[in-house]
Amino acid sequence: MKYDRFIKAALTGLTLSLAAAAPTMAPAETLRVLRGAASSALSVPMNRAVVVESDVPFTELSIANPGIADISSLSERTIYVLGKEPGRTTLTLLGADGRLITNVEIHVAPDMAEFKERLTQILPGENIEVRTANDGIVLSGQVSSIARLDRALELAQRYAPDRVSNLMVVGGTQQVMLQVRFAEMQRSVRKSLGAQLGVSGTTGGTTISGATSTSAGGANGAVTFGFGAGNMNVNLMIEALESRGVVRTLAEPNLTALSGQEASFLAGGEYPIPVAQDEDTITVEFKPFGVELLFIPTVIDDDIINLELAAAVSSVDTTNAFTSGTGLSINAFTRRETKTTVEMRDGESFAIAGLLQDDFNDLSEQVPWVGDIPVLGALFRSAAYEREQTELVIIVTPHLVSPTRGAALSLPTDRVRLPSESDLFLLGKTTAGTQIPGGAGEVARQDFSGSYGYVMDE
């Protein structure tokens, strides 16, 4: 009897020490083993404890995989099970005569109660459902943005590394329309002044010519003076030329894409370029040119949009063509392009690229020695200078958009209708009026009426 009392006191002390060392065990689940069989499978949260009670005394315990769960006996009928790693294993109970009492299936899973609590604290108001499946975590429901979805997945990885399944969807508007404006101005000024003096005469059928200067202006803006004395003729040509030019380039491509998806746009064409493969084989590659746009929008949070984009405006440049020895000519390209990543809100604009270029060069030509003579040397000199300025800016504006009904949209072809024969031949009209109801008609009535070409003030 004293020995039995000592055993019971020792078990009681062990129970109290374990309870003090593991305070998380207090609300532990209890599984009962009745009549040699477990009432159900044992689910143990990771890093938490569950107590197994048996109505039959046992003498020996074993666990199939100690790395998944740890066990200790509190009494001859009570077992303490601690979850260590997610997984499944088996607990075996043996009686006094070595007979099998039962096998208890133990399923250790991440602590969903703690995970749900942390998820609610970090992402309040989000409709996220949490489940377990095959030792992992399954997240479903709807979140308000991709940024919140990423936070939920990152938190779930803390509890079940590499075992997180994402079934969540992002609600709200997830389609982005990007407006890109290319604006470029090119200004050029050229001036040239030159003189050409020629002296000719005949003596015995022989022609004598004097020295002449070269002029940078060609034959434009030239005035010629001449006089003769006997067989001697003197000609003087003065050239003065000034030219100014302004080029304005503007392109406004618009493109819509789903958040996280790539979209591309090209308005232009493709230029064929021959490529030699070997001595006898030449293939043709096509190089695109025109207005090009490629972007990937990502709606991060609410109306914050991340944009990865590449935009370019190019055209064929015939002034810088390459000509081979066989007479094959390949044109060059003038190209303005940018590639960047920016972040902004719905409706905000960003100047993602800009260029200010100012080129200046001058040229002076003269007849050697003679052109250095004061006053008179001006007749043997020519001078020219050229200045070119280029200004370029690229502005992007993203918008969160939703689909609308087709009746509210207007096409460019809605503005123009073919005329009848009487309108064309009798009235001289090239188009007929528009009769489109609704909002599309209001847009269509903003047709191309008015003067065409250049308007010059008198």
Side-chain angles (χ1 to χ4, degrees), residues 22-47:
T24 58
M25 187 185 82
E29 177 186 353
T30 301
L31 177 71
R32 298 184 181 276
V33 179
L34 304 175
R35 294 182 298 274
S39 59
S40 64
L42 181 62
S43 297
V44 184
M46 190 170 59
N47 299 324

Side-chain angles (χ1 to χ4, degrees), residues 182-395:
F182 297 85
E184 182 177 17
M185 290 291 295
Q186 295 179 349
R187 295 182 293 270
S188 62
V189 177
R190 296 178 179 89
K191 291 184 179 182
S192 62
L193 178 64
Q196 185 175 13
L197 178 63
V199 180
S200 62
T202 56
T203 304
T206 303
T207 301
I208 302 175
S209 299
T212 60
S213 66
T214 58
S215 172
N220 296 325
V223 179
T224 303
F225 303 93
F227 63 90
N231 293 331
M232 184 72 67
N233 294 322
V234 179
N235 296 317
L236 176 63
M237 183 174 66
I238 299 177
E239 297 174 291
L241 179 65
E242 179 179 357
S243 63
R244 298 181 180 181
V246 176
V247 178
R248 175 178 180 266
T249 303
L250 182 64
E252 296 188 18
N254 296 338
L255 191 59
T256 303
L258 190 65
S259 176
Q261 301 297 317
E262 179 182 298
S264 60
F265 174 87
L266 172 63
E270 292 187 340
Y271 183 80
I273 299 178
V275 178
Q277 302 295 333
D278 50 46
E279 295 182 358
D280 300 326
T281 304
I282 296 179
T283 60
V284 177
E285 293 184 359
F286 290 87
K287 181 178 179 62
F289 68 92
V291 180
E292 302 174 62
L293 174 62
L294 185 147
F295 83 111
I296 303 175
T298 303
V299 181
I300 298 178
D301 194 2
D302 294 333
D303 60 347
I304 300 179
I305 305 171
N306 179 281
L307 292 175
E308 299 180 27
L309 63 95
V313 174
S314 58
S315 60
V316 178
D317 185 6
T318 58
T319 60
N320 295 319
F322 166 77
T323 303
S324 64
T326 60
L328 178 63
S329 179
I330 302 176
N331 293 322
F333 286 85
T334 300
R335 186 176 180 87
R336 302 284 191 268
E337 65 177 325
T338 180
K339 184 177 182 181
T340 184
T341 301
V342 294
E343 188 172 288
M344 64 190 78
R345 294 185 180 274
D346 177 21
E348 294 181 340
S349 297
F350 220 122
I352 62 171
L355 170 67
L356 179 60
Q357 184 176 351
D358 192 348
D359 297 329
F360 174 81
N361 62 78
D362 56 6
L363 176 65
S364 178
E365 297 177 336
Q366 68 178 23
V367 177
W369 304 297
V370 181
D372 295 329
I373 300 175
V375 183
L376 184 62
L379 300 177
F380 297 90
R381 290 195 302 265
S382 65
Y385 81 88
E386 178 180 347
R387 185 176 185 181
E388 293 186 356
Q389 294 179 323
T390 301
E391 296 181 29
L392 169 69
V393 64
I394 302 177
I395 300 176

